[in-house]
Amino acid sequence: MKMKRFTFFILMLAATVHTVFGQREAKAQAILDKTAAAYQKAGGIAITFGGTQQGTLLLKESCFYLDCAGIKSWFDGKTQWSYAQTDEVTLSTPSPEEIQSVNPYALITSYKTKFNYRYIGSKNRNGKQGQEVLLTPRQTGDVKSITLTVSAAYEPLYIGISLSNGETQEFNITSYQTNRNLSISDFRFDKKKYPNAEVIDLR
């Protein structure tokens, strides 16, 4: 009788855990869906961030411009330009994984196919209360997990990227401006502004 009761308890516990994780997954997906929808409606976005590194980020649809750690990167949806202080600019056609490593916001449009996710709970970031979701890649790679905290308006407050080598990159969003008037030229390298830059084409 004791064994039967013990087995029944284990089965009930397993069912409860499965239900809780199912609820956490459903809540995480709802948060990510609303965050993605808010991102799509935001138009041009200008962001400043601190944390592991400080910088600025411009976004519009699949395009981005990133100025961080002495490197400026432009991506117009197809070609990426990376300019270093050594006065060199490298042209490449990056893979989606490479784009994600440079632009953390790429996860907002790829979470459904490339990540498992679950709801962690309420979290205070930068003095603002938000909802936190943990994403883990479905395939093994450089990224071990990603922690995303979003505000009540479903705007990211914090992105933490845990790497397989044990390092963690943290991005605390200090300013988030939407509906900025950005054109495709904002996401392409302008040779006129860097006349002495050596161009290295890796495409």
Side-chain angles (χ1 to χ4, degrees):
M1 180 65 71
K2 290 183 179 180
M3 180 60 71
K4 288 183 179 179
R5 287 179 179 176
F6 180 74
T7 302
F8 177 74
F9 173 75
I10 293 296
L11 291 173
M12 287 298 295
L13 178 62
T16 301
V17 170
H18 178 75
T19 300
V20 170
F21 272 92
Q23 290 173 345
R24 289 184 178 181
E25 184 176 307
K27 187 162 186 175
Q29 181 170 343
I31 291 171
L32 292 169
D33 286 346
K34 291 178 180 179
T35 302
Y39 174 74
Q40 296 296 333
K41 294 178 181 178
I45 302 172
I47 298 166
T48 58
F49 59 87
T52 307
Q53 297 173 337
Q54 297 181 346
T56 59
L57 179 64
L58 301 179
L59 295 166
K60 188 175 183 180
E61 298 175 350
S62 62
C63 303
F64 72 83
Y65 164 73
L66 175 65
D67 185 351
C68 180
I71 298 177
K72 297 179 180 181
S73 296
W74 297 259
F75 181 67
D76 65 357
K78 180 180 179 181
T79 301
Q80 181 176 330
W81 296 260
S82 295
Y83 175 79
Q85 292 179 338
T86 54
D87 227 13
E88 293 179 345
V89 59
T90 302
L91 277 72
S92 63
T93 304
S95 66
E97 290 74 21
E98 290 171 329
I99 289 296
Q100 185 173 290
S101 68
V102 178
N103 176 19
Y105 276 68
L107 71 90
I108 293 177
T109 56
S110 65
Y111 66 91
K112 287 185 178 180
T113 58
K114 297 184 178 180
F115 293 91
N116 295 317
Y117 38 79
R118 62 187 177 92
Y119 176 69
I120 300 299
S122 180
K123 185 76 174 183
N124 188 290
R125 297 284 188 183
N126 309 321
K128 297 180 180 180
Q129 200 68 19
Q131 300 294 312
E132 195 154 278
V133 173
L134 179 68
L135 301 98
T136 53
R138 294 180 181 177
Q139 295 184 348
T140 303
D142 294 335
V143 176
K144 184 178 180 181
S145 66
I146 298 174
T147 302
L148 173 67
T149 310
V150 300
S151 69
Y154 298 100
E155 295 177 351
L157 297 173
Y158 168 86
I159 298 174
I161 303 176
S162 177
L163 303 176
S164 300
N165 63 6
E167 294 181 2
T168 299
Q169 298 177 355
E170 294 185 295
F171 301 87
N172 291 301
I173 313 304
T174 56
S175 174
Y176 190 95
Q177 300 176 354
T178 61
N179 298 311
R180 294 292 298 270
N181 185 22
L182 302 175
S183 66
I184 193 64
S185 62
D186 292 308
F187 305 105
R188 289 174 175 165
F189 175 76
D190 187 351
K191 176 66 175 176
K192 295 179 181 179
K193 295 181 180 179
Y194 307 88
N196 298 320
E198 178 185 357
V199 178
I200 303 172
D201 196 335
L202 301 179
R203 293 173 296 177

